[in-house]
Amino acid sequence: MTEAEKKQRNEAYDVVVVGGGAAGLSAALVLGRARRRALVVDAGEPRNAPAAHMQGYLSRDGMPPAEFLAAGREEVASYGVEQVRDRAVAVARGDGGFSVELAGGRRVRARRLIVTTGLKDELPEIPGVAERFGRDVVHCPFCHGWEVRDERFGVVASTPLSVHQALMVTGWSDDVTLFLHSVAESELSDQDLRRLAAAGVKVVPGEVAGLVVEDDRITGVRLADGSVHERSVVFVAPRAAPRTGLLEQLGAELTETPFGSYPVVDPAGQTSVPGVYTAGNAMGFGEQVVHAVSGGYRAASAIVGDLIMSDVDASLEG
């Protein structure tokens, strides 16, 4: 065997996991424990990076996301799974599997793929929002509601769906104001207005021009007309930008939702492309860390079973 052939063989994996967040590391842990040769390619851009802590994960409630991922990487490494900080830029189907090209120039082969590239939150272009996102500018009451409970909430409406967000956050505060921002009052239905009134949500028309910050704390929301409304926490609705580029390259079927286009998957997370699986925010906007871990486990265990049966059937044919 030539050196080139050896190198090519060494670059062949049972599974390549694209994305080293909660879903990808969970999948890698299962693959390592199943004695499968796996590679995790991680660009290092987790969705929850702005958050100081993650909540709602039993036994890990309040743990910093970076600490959680570091522990996960250590566990995965203990089972011999290779991890590389790089970005997968191209994928293609080939004989018996897939080829994956990395930004650093490396090209690897895999019998199966798990794509856990997540999504990016595109925030409203309001001064101060991006800088304070994950602190006193938040989007999910299940993620942050307990920490900001009973504060004065402001909800910045970017679509009529923001009415639902404003109603939801009333579970964590009795003082909620919905700033219509880019939504005209005429876009709200009579039922919307009745519900908001019944929930005690104040509705304020007009574009939001910025946030008032004093001593590193939000104290108000400033409208374009110059008026300031006292608030201490602001909820926004980011536009979800799913990172589905690799799945699209492979021709995976996507379905449109109010929160972006996501792959059509079976219960194990397999896409319409045989041998290609996904988990976490790559398959849905509402996937929390706990869901991502579960999805990664599910996809990896399905792949392990698939590989074992494929090898058994191949030996029978041989």
Side-chain angles (χ1 to χ4, degrees):
M1 182 180 295
T2 66
E3 287 301 318
E5 289 173 330
K6 290 179 181 178
K7 182 177 180 180
Q8 185 180 39
R9 183 175 181 180
N10 289 337
E11 293 293 275
Y13 296 87
D14 289 319
V15 185
V16 168
V17 181
V18 184
L25 290 176
S26 176
L29 181 62
V30 173
L31 293 168
R33 287 177 53 81
R35 307 173 71 184
R36 289 293 164 176
R37 187 159 193 256
L39 170 69
V40 178
V41 181
D42 182 27
E45 298 173 346
R47 181 188 181 191
N48 61 359
H53 306 92
M54 64 180 198
Q55 273 78 33
Y57 193 133
L58 189 64
S59 82
R60 297 294 180 270
D61 187 63
M63 189 176 191
E67 184 179 324
F68 176 79
L69 293 178
R73 286 191 289 268
E74 185 177 346
E75 289 179 357
V76 166
S78 72
Y79 290 99
V81 175
E82 184 181 345
Q83 303 173 65
V84 61
R85 179 58 57 89
D86 208 332
R87 185 184 303 276
V89 294
V91 294
R93 282 186 277 189
D95 293 337
F98 307 88
S99 65
V100 182
E101 182 180 343
L102 308 187
R106 185 178 175 188
R107 187 185 297 271
V108 297
R109 293 180 294 117
R111 297 174 65 187
R112 302 291 186 270
L113 286 179
I114 304 179
V115 178
T116 60
T117 44
L119 63 80
K120 181 179 180 181
D121 289 309
E122 295 182 349
L123 299 170
E125 294 185 359
I126 297 172
V129 165
E131 293 82 357
R132 307 199 67 81
F133 188 57
R135 300 167 62 191
D136 41 14
V137 174
V138 294
H139 73 291
C140 171
F142 294 101
C143 304
H144 305 283
W146 174 265
E147 285 67 38
V148 298
R149 64 193 184 281
D150 297 327
E151 295 279 354
R152 297 169 298 176
F153 289 177
V155 180
V156 178
S158 51
T159 76
L161 290 174
S162 296
V163 170
H164 177 74
Q165 185 181 35
L167 293 170
M168 284 296 296
V169 303
T170 60
W172 286 265
S173 175
D174 295 330
D175 187 351
V176 179
T177 297
L178 175 63
F179 298 96
L180 294 185
H181 187 50
S182 58
V183 176
E185 195 165 4
S186 60
E187 294 182 66
L188 304 186
S189 68
D190 288 341
Q191 185 180 41
D192 287 337
L193 294 172
R194 288 197 301 270
R195 281 178 166 173
L196 290 167
V201 177
K202 182 181 178 182
V203 178
V204 176
E207 181 182 355
V208 174
L211 306 179
V212 180
V213 178
E214 299 175 0
D215 296 325
D216 200 30
R217 291 276 303 176
I218 290 176
T219 59
V221 172
R222 178 181 290 108
L223 301 188
D225 63 9
S227 62
V228 174
H229 298 257
E230 292 186 356
R231 298 288 91 188
S232 52
V233 173
V234 172
F235 282 83
V236 296
R239 177 184 175 275
R243 296 187 175 111
T244 55
L246 297 178
L247 296 173
E248 292 176 47
Q249 289 180 31
L250 293 167
E253 180 184 355
L254 303 179
T255 184
E256 188 67 33
T257 78
F259 305 102
S261 295
Y262 297 90
V264 176
V265 298
D266 71 8
Q270 183 169 215
T271 69
S272 61
V273 181
V276 179
Y277 293 70
T278 185
N281 284 136
M283 65 178 289
F285 175 80
E287 297 295 291
Q288 304 285 357
V289 175
V290 67
H291 302 125
V293 170
S294 174
Y297 191 109
R298 216 167 27 239
S301 58
I303 285 176
V304 170
D306 180 33
L307 289 172
I308 289 173
M309 297 308 297
S310 295
D311 290 341
V312 171
D313 290 342
S315 68
L316 289 175
E317 295 174 1

